Amino acid sequence: MSRTDLLEIIDDIRARVAAGDSLEGNFRYLLADLADQHPFNVAAMYRVGNRAGQGGAILIGCDGSDR
Protein backbone atom coordinates (compact mmCIF):
# COMPACT_ATOMS: atom_id res chain seq x y z
CA MET A 1 0.00 0.00 0.00
CA SER A 2 1.27 3.49 -0.75
CA ARG A 3 1.90 6.13 1.92
CA THR A 4 -1.06 8.13 0.53
CA ASP A 5 -3.40 5.12 0.84
CA LEU A 6 -2.16 4.47 4.38
CA LEU A 7 -2.84 8.06 5.42
CA GLU A 8 -6.33 7.97 3.87
CA ILE A 9 -7.19 4.90 5.96
CA ILE A 10 -5.83 6.50 9.14
CA ASP A 11 -7.86 9.66 8.41
CA ASP A 12 -11.02 7.60 7.78
CA ILE A 13 -10.62 5.66 11.03
CA ARG A 14 -9.99 8.85 13.00
CA ALA A 15 -13.01 10.63 11.49
CA ARG A 16 -15.32 7.69 12.20
CA VAL A 17 -14.13 7.35 15.80
CA ALA A 18 -14.49 11.12 16.35
CA ALA A 19 -18.05 11.02 14.97
CA GLY A 20 -19.01 8.06 17.18
CA ASP A 21 -19.48 5.85 14.13
CA SER A 22 -16.77 3.29 14.91
CA LEU A 23 -16.63 1.65 18.31
CA GLU A 24 -14.02 -1.04 17.77
CA GLY A 25 -11.33 -2.23 15.43
CA ASN A 26 -7.66 -2.97 14.99
CA PHE A 27 -4.95 -1.56 12.79
CA ARG A 28 -1.43 -2.71 11.93
CA TYR A 29 1.07 -1.51 9.39
CA LEU A 30 4.52 -2.83 8.62
CA LEU A 31 7.23 -1.15 6.61
CA ALA A 32 8.23 -3.71 4.03
CA ASP A 33 10.59 -2.06 1.54
CA LEU A 34 10.98 1.67 0.88
CA ALA A 35 12.18 0.93 -2.66
CA ASP A 36 8.92 -0.90 -3.41
CA GLN A 37 6.12 0.97 -5.21
CA HIS A 38 3.74 -0.01 -2.37
CA PRO A 39 6.00 -0.20 0.70
CA PHE A 40 3.46 -0.51 3.53
CA ASN A 41 1.84 -3.81 4.48
CA VAL A 42 -1.44 -3.00 6.21
CA ALA A 43 -3.94 -5.17 8.06
CA ALA A 44 -7.00 -3.51 9.56
CA MET A 45 -10.58 -4.13 10.59
CA TYR A 46 -12.83 -1.41 11.88
CA ARG A 47 -16.55 -1.18 12.47
CA VAL A 48 -18.53 1.43 10.55
CA GLY A 49 -22.15 2.53 10.36
CA ASN A 50 -22.83 2.09 14.07
CA ARG A 51 -24.82 5.35 14.29
CA ALA A 52 -27.27 3.97 11.72
CA GLY A 53 -27.87 0.68 13.54
CA GLN A 54 -25.93 -2.55 13.52
CA GLY A 55 -23.49 -1.32 10.85
CA GLY A 56 -20.76 -3.30 9.19
CA ALA A 57 -17.00 -3.52 8.98
CA ILE A 58 -14.16 -2.52 6.69
CA LEU A 59 -11.49 -5.19 6.25
CA ILE A 60 -8.07 -4.49 4.79
CA GLY A 61 -5.61 -7.37 4.34
CA CYS A 62 -1.85 -7.53 4.24
CA ASP A 63 -0.16 -8.06 0.91
CA GLY A 64 2.62 -10.58 1.17
CA SER A 65 3.77 -12.38 4.27
CA ASP A 66 3.87 -10.95 7.77
CA ARG A 67 7.28 -9.57 8.60
Side-chain angles (χ1 to χ4, degrees):
M1 168 177 296
S2 71
R3 182 184 319 266
T4 300
D5 291 338
L6 174 59
L7 292 172
E8 286 176 5
I9 291 167
I10 292 169
D11 289 345
D12 185 49
I13 292 171
R14 190 211 176 286
R16 290 178 187 273
V17 170
D21 193 45
S22 184
L23 305 174
E24 63 184 322
N26 60 68
F27 181 82
R28 181 183 68 161
Y29 68 101
L30 302 170
L31 185 60
D33 182 358
L34 285 175
D36 193 339
Q37 182 180 1
H38 304 290
F40 294 95
N41 287 325
V42 176
M45 184 289 298
Y46 57 105
R47 299 281 313 266
V48 298
N50 292 296
R51 294 186 337 166
Q54 185 173 356
I58 293 178
L59 301 172
I60 299 165
C62 251
D63 289 337
S65 63
D66 288 342
R67 298 172 198 225

